[in-house]
Short mmCIF file of all heavy atoms in Angstrom, two decimals:
data_model
loop_
_atom_site.label_atom_id
_atom_site.label_comp_id
_atom_site.label_asym_id
_atom_site.label_seq_id
_atom_site.Cartn_x
_atom_site.Cartn_y
_atom_site.Cartn_z
N GLN A 40 14.43 -11.74 -2.74
CA GLN A 40 14.63 -10.72 -3.92
C GLN A 40 13.54 -9.54 -3.67
O GLN A 40 13.88 -8.36 -3.85
CB GLN A 40 14.52 -11.40 -5.22
CG GLN A 40 15.49 -12.25 -5.62
CD GLN A 40 15.29 -13.13 -6.88
OE1 GLN A 40 14.21 -13.20 -7.32
NE2 GLN A 40 16.40 -13.64 -7.32
N ILE A 41 12.41 -9.86 -3.44
CA ILE A 41 11.28 -8.90 -3.28
C ILE A 41 11.58 -8.04 -2.03
O ILE A 41 11.42 -6.81 -2.13
CB ILE A 41 9.96 -9.55 -3.15
CG1 ILE A 41 9.50 -10.13 -4.50
CG2 ILE A 41 8.92 -8.61 -2.67
CD1 ILE A 41 8.25 -11.00 -4.41
N GLU A 42 12.19 -8.72 -0.91
CA GLU A 42 12.40 -7.92 0.23
C GLU A 42 13.56 -6.89 -0.09
O GLU A 42 13.67 -5.85 0.44
CB GLU A 42 12.79 -8.77 1.37
CG GLU A 42 11.53 -9.51 1.94
CD GLU A 42 11.94 -10.58 2.94
OE1 GLU A 42 13.11 -10.71 3.32
OE2 GLU A 42 10.98 -11.17 3.48
N ASN A 43 14.49 -7.31 -0.87
CA ASN A 43 15.65 -6.49 -1.26
C ASN A 43 15.07 -5.24 -2.06
O ASN A 43 15.68 -4.05 -1.75
CB ASN A 43 16.63 -7.20 -2.17
CG ASN A 43 17.52 -8.26 -1.38
OD1 ASN A 43 17.52 -8.15 -0.16
ND2 ASN A 43 18.07 -9.13 -2.07
N TRP A 44 14.12 -5.39 -2.80
CA TRP A 44 13.53 -4.21 -3.55
C TRP A 44 12.84 -3.36 -2.49
O TRP A 44 12.84 -1.99 -2.51
CB TRP A 44 12.50 -4.72 -4.48
CG TRP A 44 13.01 -4.97 -5.83
CD1 TRP A 44 14.00 -4.44 -6.42
CD2 TRP A 44 12.63 -6.07 -6.66
NE1 TRP A 44 14.25 -5.09 -7.65
CE2 TRP A 44 13.44 -6.01 -7.64
CE3 TRP A 44 11.65 -7.03 -6.51
CZ2 TRP A 44 13.38 -6.96 -8.79
CZ3 TRP A 44 11.55 -8.05 -7.63
CH2 TRP A 44 12.35 -8.01 -8.68
N GLU A 45 12.15 -3.86 -1.46
CA GLU A 45 11.53 -3.05 -0.39
C GLU A 45 12.45 -2.28 0.31
O GLU A 45 12.26 -1.10 0.63
CB GLU A 45 10.63 -4.01 0.39
CG GLU A 45 9.53 -4.54 -0.33
CD GLU A 45 8.64 -5.57 0.55
OE1 GLU A 45 9.21 -6.08 1.57
OE2 GLU A 45 7.40 -5.84 0.40
N ILE A 46 13.64 -2.88 0.62
CA ILE A 46 14.70 -2.21 1.36
C ILE A 46 15.11 -0.97 0.56
O ILE A 46 15.53 0.06 1.01
CB ILE A 46 15.74 -3.11 1.70
CG1 ILE A 46 15.32 -4.11 2.82
CG2 ILE A 46 16.99 -2.37 2.18
CD1 ILE A 46 16.29 -5.25 2.93
N ALA A 47 15.24 -1.21 -0.77
CA ALA A 47 15.74 -0.26 -1.68
C ALA A 47 14.54 0.87 -2.05
O ALA A 47 14.80 1.79 -2.86
CB ALA A 47 16.17 -0.83 -2.94
N LYS A 48 13.52 0.66 -1.43
CA LYS A 48 12.33 1.56 -1.54
C LYS A 48 11.94 1.68 -2.98
O LYS A 48 11.52 2.65 -3.56
CB LYS A 48 12.64 3.10 -1.15
CG LYS A 48 12.82 3.07 0.37
CD LYS A 48 13.01 4.51 0.75
CE LYS A 48 13.02 4.67 2.33
NZ LYS A 48 13.43 3.60 3.23
N LYS A 49 11.87 0.43 -3.78
CA LYS A 49 11.40 0.39 -5.09
C LYS A 49 9.99 -0.03 -5.12
O LYS A 49 9.54 -0.75 -4.09
CB LYS A 49 12.32 -0.55 -5.95
CG LYS A 49 13.61 -0.12 -6.15
CD LYS A 49 14.37 -1.03 -7.22
CE LYS A 49 15.72 -0.41 -7.61
NZ LYS A 49 16.37 -1.20 -8.66
N PRO A 50 9.11 0.35 -6.07
CA PRO A 50 7.71 -0.08 -5.96
C PRO A 50 7.54 -1.60 -6.13
O PRO A 50 8.27 -2.21 -6.95
CB PRO A 50 7.17 0.73 -7.24
CG PRO A 50 8.29 0.95 -8.15
CD PRO A 50 9.54 1.18 -7.19
N ASN A 51 6.68 -2.12 -5.38
CA ASN A 51 6.46 -3.60 -5.47
C ASN A 51 4.85 -3.78 -5.23
O ASN A 51 4.45 -3.80 -4.03
CB ASN A 51 7.25 -4.30 -4.32
CG ASN A 51 6.74 -5.74 -4.33
OD1 ASN A 51 6.47 -6.35 -5.35
ND2 ASN A 51 7.11 -6.30 -3.20
N PRO A 52 4.26 -4.03 -6.31
CA PRO A 52 2.74 -4.27 -6.27
C PRO A 52 2.40 -5.63 -5.91
O PRO A 52 1.26 -6.05 -5.79
CB PRO A 52 2.24 -3.93 -7.70
CG PRO A 52 3.51 -4.39 -8.48
CD PRO A 52 4.70 -4.07 -7.76
N TYR A 53 3.22 -6.49 -5.57
CA TYR A 53 3.09 -7.96 -5.37
C TYR A 53 2.93 -8.32 -3.94
O TYR A 53 3.16 -9.57 -3.56
CB TYR A 53 4.03 -8.81 -6.13
CG TYR A 53 3.96 -8.43 -7.61
CD1 TYR A 53 5.15 -8.06 -8.21
CD2 TYR A 53 2.86 -8.30 -8.37
CE1 TYR A 53 5.24 -7.73 -9.58
CE2 TYR A 53 2.85 -7.93 -9.68
CZ TYR A 53 4.09 -7.57 -10.27
OH TYR A 53 4.04 -7.09 -11.57
N THR A 54 3.01 -7.47 -3.03
CA THR A 54 2.90 -7.80 -1.58
C THR A 54 1.65 -7.44 -1.01
O THR A 54 1.42 -7.38 0.35
CB THR A 54 3.95 -7.11 -0.81
OG1 THR A 54 3.93 -5.59 -1.00
CG2 THR A 54 5.41 -7.46 -1.20
N ASP A 55 0.62 -7.23 -1.73
CA ASP A 55 -0.79 -6.92 -1.23
C ASP A 55 -1.25 -8.13 -0.61
O ASP A 55 -0.97 -9.09 -0.75
CB ASP A 55 -1.73 -6.47 -2.39
CG ASP A 55 -1.87 -7.43 -3.46
OD1 ASP A 55 -2.73 -8.21 -3.27
OD2 ASP A 55 -1.02 -7.44 -4.37
N GLN A 56 -2.45 -7.96 0.27
CA GLN A 56 -3.00 -8.96 0.97
C GLN A 56 -4.33 -9.40 0.37
O GLN A 56 -5.11 -10.07 1.00
CB GLN A 56 -3.28 -8.50 2.44
CG GLN A 56 -1.94 -8.14 3.18
CD GLN A 56 -0.99 -9.28 3.18
OE1 GLN A 56 -1.34 -10.46 3.55
NE2 GLN A 56 0.26 -9.02 2.90
N GLN A 57 -4.60 -9.09 -0.89
CA GLN A 57 -5.76 -9.37 -1.61
C GLN A 57 -5.93 -10.83 -1.70
O GLN A 57 -5.02 -11.61 -2.02
CB GLN A 57 -5.77 -8.79 -3.01
CG GLN A 57 -7.00 -9.20 -3.90
CD GLN A 57 -8.33 -8.56 -3.44
OE1 GLN A 57 -8.25 -7.53 -2.77
NE2 GLN A 57 -9.38 -9.29 -3.55
N GLU A 58 -7.15 -11.39 -1.38
CA GLU A 58 -7.51 -12.85 -1.40
C GLU A 58 -8.05 -13.05 -2.84
O GLU A 58 -8.98 -12.41 -3.21
CB GLU A 58 -8.48 -13.21 -0.34
CG GLU A 58 -7.83 -13.10 1.13
CD GLU A 58 -6.67 -14.07 1.40
OE1 GLU A 58 -6.84 -15.13 0.72
OE2 GLU A 58 -5.86 -13.76 2.16
N TYR A 59 -7.52 -14.00 -3.50
CA TYR A 59 -7.93 -14.32 -4.86
C TYR A 59 -8.33 -15.79 -4.87
O TYR A 59 -7.73 -16.67 -4.30
CB TYR A 59 -6.74 -14.25 -5.89
CG TYR A 59 -6.20 -12.83 -5.99
CD1 TYR A 59 -4.91 -12.51 -5.33
CD2 TYR A 59 -6.85 -11.83 -6.72
CE1 TYR A 59 -4.39 -11.33 -5.46
CE2 TYR A 59 -6.30 -10.54 -6.76
CZ TYR A 59 -5.03 -10.34 -6.22
OH TYR A 59 -4.59 -9.08 -6.21
N THR A 60 -9.49 -16.11 -5.65
CA THR A 60 -9.84 -17.48 -5.89
C THR A 60 -8.79 -18.11 -6.79
O THR A 60 -8.41 -19.21 -6.44
CB THR A 60 -11.21 -17.50 -6.58
OG1 THR A 60 -12.18 -16.79 -5.80
CG2 THR A 60 -11.63 -18.93 -6.83
N ILE A 61 -8.36 -17.31 -7.76
CA ILE A 61 -7.36 -17.83 -8.66
C ILE A 61 -6.15 -16.81 -8.62
O ILE A 61 -6.41 -15.58 -8.72
CB ILE A 61 -7.81 -18.06 -10.13
CG1 ILE A 61 -8.94 -19.02 -10.29
CG2 ILE A 61 -6.62 -18.26 -11.11
CD1 ILE A 61 -8.56 -20.39 -9.94
N LEU A 62 -5.02 -17.23 -8.29
CA LEU A 62 -3.91 -16.29 -8.11
C LEU A 62 -3.56 -15.65 -9.32
O LEU A 62 -3.48 -16.21 -10.40
CB LEU A 62 -2.76 -17.11 -7.57
CG LEU A 62 -2.84 -17.48 -6.15
CD1 LEU A 62 -1.59 -18.49 -5.77
CD2 LEU A 62 -2.87 -16.45 -5.02
N PRO A 63 -3.24 -14.39 -9.44
CA PRO A 63 -2.76 -13.63 -10.57
C PRO A 63 -1.43 -14.19 -11.10
O PRO A 63 -0.63 -14.57 -10.26
CB PRO A 63 -2.64 -12.15 -10.08
CG PRO A 63 -3.42 -12.06 -8.94
CD PRO A 63 -3.34 -13.44 -8.29
N ILE A 64 -1.11 -14.18 -12.43
CA ILE A 64 0.08 -14.73 -12.89
C ILE A 64 1.23 -13.92 -12.31
O ILE A 64 2.34 -14.57 -12.00
CB ILE A 64 0.09 -14.53 -14.37
CG1 ILE A 64 -0.93 -15.51 -15.02
CG2 ILE A 64 1.51 -14.96 -14.93
CD1 ILE A 64 -0.89 -16.94 -14.68
N SER A 65 1.08 -12.61 -12.17
CA SER A 65 2.30 -11.80 -11.55
C SER A 65 2.65 -12.23 -10.21
O SER A 65 3.81 -12.31 -9.83
CB SER A 65 1.77 -10.44 -11.40
OG SER A 65 0.65 -10.21 -10.64
N LYS A 66 1.72 -12.72 -9.32
CA LYS A 66 1.98 -13.19 -8.14
C LYS A 66 2.51 -14.57 -8.14
O LYS A 66 3.49 -15.04 -7.40
CB LYS A 66 0.69 -13.32 -7.25
CG LYS A 66 0.85 -13.26 -5.76
CD LYS A 66 -0.45 -13.09 -5.11
CE LYS A 66 -0.30 -12.87 -3.53
NZ LYS A 66 0.27 -11.57 -3.13
N ARG A 67 2.20 -15.43 -9.11
CA ARG A 67 2.57 -16.88 -9.18
C ARG A 67 4.08 -16.93 -9.72
O ARG A 67 4.77 -17.85 -9.32
CB ARG A 67 1.62 -17.63 -9.97
CG ARG A 67 0.32 -17.99 -9.21
CD ARG A 67 -0.83 -18.12 -10.08
NE ARG A 67 -0.87 -19.33 -10.96
CZ ARG A 67 -1.83 -19.63 -11.81
NH1 ARG A 67 -2.84 -18.97 -11.81
NH2 ARG A 67 -1.64 -20.69 -12.53
N LEU A 68 4.33 -16.04 -10.60
CA LEU A 68 5.69 -16.13 -11.24
C LEU A 68 6.65 -15.17 -10.50
O LEU A 68 7.83 -15.16 -10.83
CB LEU A 68 5.52 -15.83 -12.69
CG LEU A 68 5.02 -16.89 -13.65
CD1 LEU A 68 5.07 -16.44 -15.13
CD2 LEU A 68 5.85 -18.12 -13.46
N GLY A 69 6.26 -14.28 -9.63
CA GLY A 69 7.10 -13.27 -9.14
C GLY A 69 7.62 -12.37 -10.07
O GLY A 69 8.76 -12.31 -10.40
N ALA A 70 6.68 -11.68 -10.75
CA ALA A 70 7.09 -10.70 -11.81
C ALA A 70 7.81 -9.50 -11.31
O ALA A 70 7.79 -9.11 -10.22
CB ALA A 70 5.69 -10.25 -12.55
N HIS A 71 8.64 -8.96 -12.30
CA HIS A 71 9.36 -7.77 -11.95
C HIS A 71 8.43 -6.55 -11.84
O HIS A 71 7.70 -6.36 -12.78
CB HIS A 71 10.43 -7.52 -12.96
CG HIS A 71 11.42 -6.58 -12.71
ND1 HIS A 71 11.21 -5.19 -12.37
CD2 HIS A 71 12.79 -6.56 -12.59
CE1 HIS A 71 12.35 -4.61 -12.03
NE2 HIS A 71 13.42 -5.47 -12.14
N PRO A 72 8.43 -5.62 -10.89
CA PRO A 72 7.38 -4.59 -10.72
C PRO A 72 7.72 -3.38 -11.69
O PRO A 72 6.85 -2.59 -11.68
CB PRO A 72 7.64 -4.24 -9.23
CG PRO A 72 9.02 -4.54 -8.91
CD PRO A 72 9.44 -5.77 -9.68
N ASP A 73 8.82 -3.34 -12.36
CA ASP A 73 9.18 -2.07 -13.04
C ASP A 73 8.82 -2.07 -14.60
O ASP A 73 8.95 -1.07 -15.17
CB ASP A 73 10.60 -1.84 -12.88
CG ASP A 73 11.01 -1.48 -11.42
OD1 ASP A 73 10.03 -1.15 -10.56
OD2 ASP A 73 12.26 -1.57 -11.05
N TYR A 74 8.37 -3.26 -15.11
CA TYR A 74 8.24 -3.42 -16.60
C TYR A 74 6.80 -3.81 -16.86
O TYR A 74 6.36 -4.79 -16.29
CB TYR A 74 9.35 -4.24 -17.10
CG TYR A 74 10.77 -3.75 -16.89
CD1 TYR A 74 11.47 -4.33 -15.90
CD2 TYR A 74 11.21 -2.72 -17.81
CE1 TYR A 74 12.73 -3.78 -15.59
CE2 TYR A 74 12.40 -2.14 -17.51
CZ TYR A 74 13.31 -2.69 -16.56
OH TYR A 74 14.50 -2.23 -16.20
N THR A 75 6.22 -3.29 -17.78
CA THR A 75 4.87 -3.57 -18.28
C THR A 75 4.70 -3.77 -19.84
O THR A 75 3.62 -3.82 -20.29
CB THR A 75 3.92 -2.39 -17.89
OG1 THR A 75 4.37 -1.20 -18.40
CG2 THR A 75 3.98 -2.26 -16.29
N GLY A 76 5.81 -3.86 -20.54
CA GLY A 76 5.78 -4.06 -21.98
C GLY A 76 5.45 -2.77 -22.67
O GLY A 76 5.17 -2.86 -23.87
N LYS A 77 5.71 -1.59 -22.06
CA LYS A 77 5.45 -0.42 -22.71
C LYS A 77 6.39 -0.16 -23.83
O LYS A 77 7.56 -0.45 -23.80
CB LYS A 77 5.70 0.72 -21.67
CG LYS A 77 5.18 2.20 -22.09
CD LYS A 77 5.24 3.18 -21.02
CE LYS A 77 4.80 4.48 -21.50
NZ LYS A 77 4.76 5.55 -20.41
N GLY A 78 5.80 0.28 -25.01
CA GLY A 78 6.49 0.54 -26.23
C GLY A 78 6.84 -0.63 -27.06
O GLY A 78 7.59 -0.57 -28.13
N VAL A 79 6.25 -1.83 -26.70
CA VAL A 79 6.48 -3.07 -27.43
C VAL A 79 5.26 -3.59 -28.09
O VAL A 79 4.15 -3.41 -27.49
CB VAL A 79 7.15 -4.11 -26.51
CG1 VAL A 79 7.31 -5.39 -27.24
CG2 VAL A 79 8.38 -3.65 -25.77
N THR A 80 5.30 -3.94 -29.21
CA THR A 80 4.05 -4.53 -29.92
C THR A 80 4.12 -6.12 -30.02
O THR A 80 5.14 -6.57 -30.60
CB THR A 80 3.93 -3.85 -31.33
OG1 THR A 80 3.86 -2.51 -31.22
CG2 THR A 80 2.68 -4.39 -32.03
N ILE A 81 3.16 -6.72 -29.64
CA ILE A 81 3.04 -8.10 -29.73
C ILE A 81 2.00 -8.42 -30.88
O ILE A 81 0.80 -7.90 -30.84
CB ILE A 81 2.56 -8.80 -28.42
CG1 ILE A 81 3.35 -8.40 -27.31
CG2 ILE A 81 2.48 -10.34 -28.54
CD1 ILE A 81 2.84 -8.84 -25.87
N CYS A 82 2.25 -9.30 -31.77
CA CYS A 82 1.28 -9.65 -32.86
C CYS A 82 0.75 -11.07 -32.39
O CYS A 82 1.46 -12.00 -32.34
CB CYS A 82 2.06 -9.73 -34.10
SG CYS A 82 1.00 -10.41 -35.43
N PHE A 83 -0.54 -11.14 -32.24
CA PHE A 83 -1.26 -12.39 -31.82
C PHE A 83 -1.77 -12.96 -33.15
O PHE A 83 -2.62 -12.21 -33.77
CB PHE A 83 -2.25 -12.22 -30.72
CG PHE A 83 -1.77 -11.93 -29.38
CD1 PHE A 83 -1.54 -10.70 -29.09
CD2 PHE A 83 -1.50 -12.85 -28.50
CE1 PHE A 83 -0.93 -10.33 -27.67
CE2 PHE A 83 -1.01 -12.70 -27.31
CZ PHE A 83 -0.81 -11.42 -26.87
N ILE A 84 -1.41 -14.20 -33.47
CA ILE A 84 -2.04 -14.87 -34.57
C ILE A 84 -2.92 -15.93 -34.07
O ILE A 84 -2.40 -16.86 -33.42
CB ILE A 84 -0.97 -15.46 -35.51
CG1 ILE A 84 -0.14 -14.22 -36.12
CG2 ILE A 84 -1.50 -16.35 -36.55
CD1 ILE A 84 1.06 -14.74 -36.93
#
Side-chain angles (χ1 to χ4, degrees):
Q40 290 171 343
I41 291 172
E42 289 173 4
N43 287 342
W44 276 321
E45 291 175 339
I46 292 169
K48 294 183 170 34
K49 291 190 175 183
N51 174 25
Y53 307 124
T54 56
D55 61 88
Q56 299 302 311
Q57 175 68 32
E58 293 293 330
Y59 301 104
T60 304
I61 298 295
L62 292 168
I64 296 301
S65 60
K66 203 172 186 71
R67 285 151 67 175
L68 283 180
H71 198 298
D73 295 340
Y74 298 101
T75 59
K77 190 173 184 179
V79 179
T80 301
I81 307 173
C82 175
F83 288 88
I84 296 174

